[in-house]
Amino acid sequence: MNTIEETLRNAPPPTATLADVWRRQPQTGASAPRIRATRPEDFAAIIALQRATYPDIPPWTEAQLAAQVAAFPEGQMVAELDGRVIGASASLVVAWDEYAVDHTWKGITGDGTFRTHDPAGRTLYGAEVVVDRHRRGNGVGRALYQARRQLCQRLNLRRIIAAGRLPGYRDVKDVMSPELYAMRVVWGDIPDPVLRFQLAQGFHYCGVIHNYLPEDAPSCGHAALIVWLNPRYAAPRPAALARKAAA
């Protein structure tokens, strides 16, 4: 039986993803993408990006995308360059205490419809980020993450929580647990591109969610739970204190 180190040495390098952009500078002369709200005419482009980026995972349907925009239009964004959609992100607000570690992608997103969106919640949940594989290195992923952080601050939400794929785990699943895999990514031993990118965006690793998205074969269905805390969050003041301060 191979040792963990032998398995890591022999495993193929992870396929480059949008997360590789954190390791290199934007291409010389590359234009910055424009981040704007998702519109119905963007749905076909978003679905095409998902198909190309995650061939093992069924893409969203136009009905799901329409439901997301209807539920929480501020949280649905695209990155546009030269009139073409080259990236997209989708978010919703949740009451995190109702989910915590024991949740699945389908459960927390209402199977992609965002019917679970709760305006009274204090957590912005990142359900998706996808970038055109031919545009990696142009800062598209960073721009989408920055727009999501700005939204979190604008709405005065306490945090952003998301679940990151572990696309290299399948190659080492016989010699280590997903928890050890994720920790070795954090320690710098394994160059998993997704989690490393998310850590570079200011997120903290919190643990592994088992069976988060069973369709994600490269991750064996698992995902890394990550959190970004809003440094500008202002906790609501009790009504009595607010009245006293106003007096």
Side-chain angles (χ1 to χ4, degrees), residues 152-153 156-160 228-234:
C152 179
Q153 293 179 333
N156 191 38
L157 299 176
R158 174 168 283 181
R159 59 203 154 219
I160 302 172
W228 178 83
L229 299 178
N230 178 5
R232 299 179 181 176
Y233 173 70

Side-chain angles (χ1 to χ4, degrees), residues 32-242:
R34 181 171 74 100
I35 308 300
R36 61 166 175 79
T38 299
R39 300 191 291 251
E41 56 265 34
D42 302 322
F43 294 170
I46 294 172
I47 292 169
L49 286 175
Q50 289 181 314
R51 282 200 181 106
T53 306
Y54 313 123
D56 297 314
I57 303 173
W60 281 331
T61 65
E62 291 200 6
Q64 286 173 314
L65 289 165
Q68 293 169 15
V69 171
F72 183 40
E74 300 96 323
Q76 320 319 314
M77 308 175 194
V78 297
E80 184 181 63
L81 187 63
D82 299 328
R84 180 170 171 263
V85 172
I86 59 172
S89 70
S91 309
L92 65 156
V93 177
V94 299
W96 179 241
D97 289 347
E98 297 178 4
Y99 298 96
V101 175
D102 297 322
H103 76 278
T104 64
W105 183 88
K106 287 186 177 180
I108 201 166
T109 68
D111 198 12
T113 67
F114 291 7
R115 60 175 175 266
T116 50
H117 172 67
D118 182 356
R122 293 182 296 175
T123 297
L124 186 66
Y125 190 83
E128 170 72 302
V129 172
V130 62
V131 171
D132 185 340
R133 56 197 176 101
H134 299 297
R135 296 286 184 173
R136 291 167 192 154
N138 289 358
V140 182
R142 286 195 297 268
L144 288 167
Y145 270 74
Q146 176 64 13
R148 186 179 275 171
R149 288 191 292 267
Q150 291 171 345
L151 174 65
C152 179
Q153 293 179 333
R154 188 165 66 250
L155 297 179
N156 191 38
L157 299 176
R158 174 168 283 181
R159 59 203 154 219
I160 302 172
I161 285 180
R165 300 178 63 242
L166 300 171
Y169 179 62
R170 179 169 56 184
D171 298 322
V172 296
K173 65 182 179 62
D174 293 330
V175 295
M176 70 177 74
S177 67
E179 287 81 5
L180 179 56
Y181 176 87
M183 285 307 303
R184 295 197 68 164
V185 173
V186 174
W187 296 335
D189 293 338
I190 299 175
D192 182 279
V194 176
L195 182 54
R196 287 183 67 176
F197 170 78
Q198 292 165 331
L199 295 174
Q201 297 304 306
F203 282 81
H204 298 281
Y205 166 71
C206 301
V208 170
I209 310 172
H210 292 262
N211 301 314
Y212 175 74
L213 185 62
E215 298 89 343
D216 185 4
S219 304
C220 298
H222 309 310
L225 183 65
I226 58 172
V227 63
W228 178 83
L229 299 178
N230 178 5
R232 299 179 181 176
Y233 173 70
R237 301 178 65 186
L241 288 179

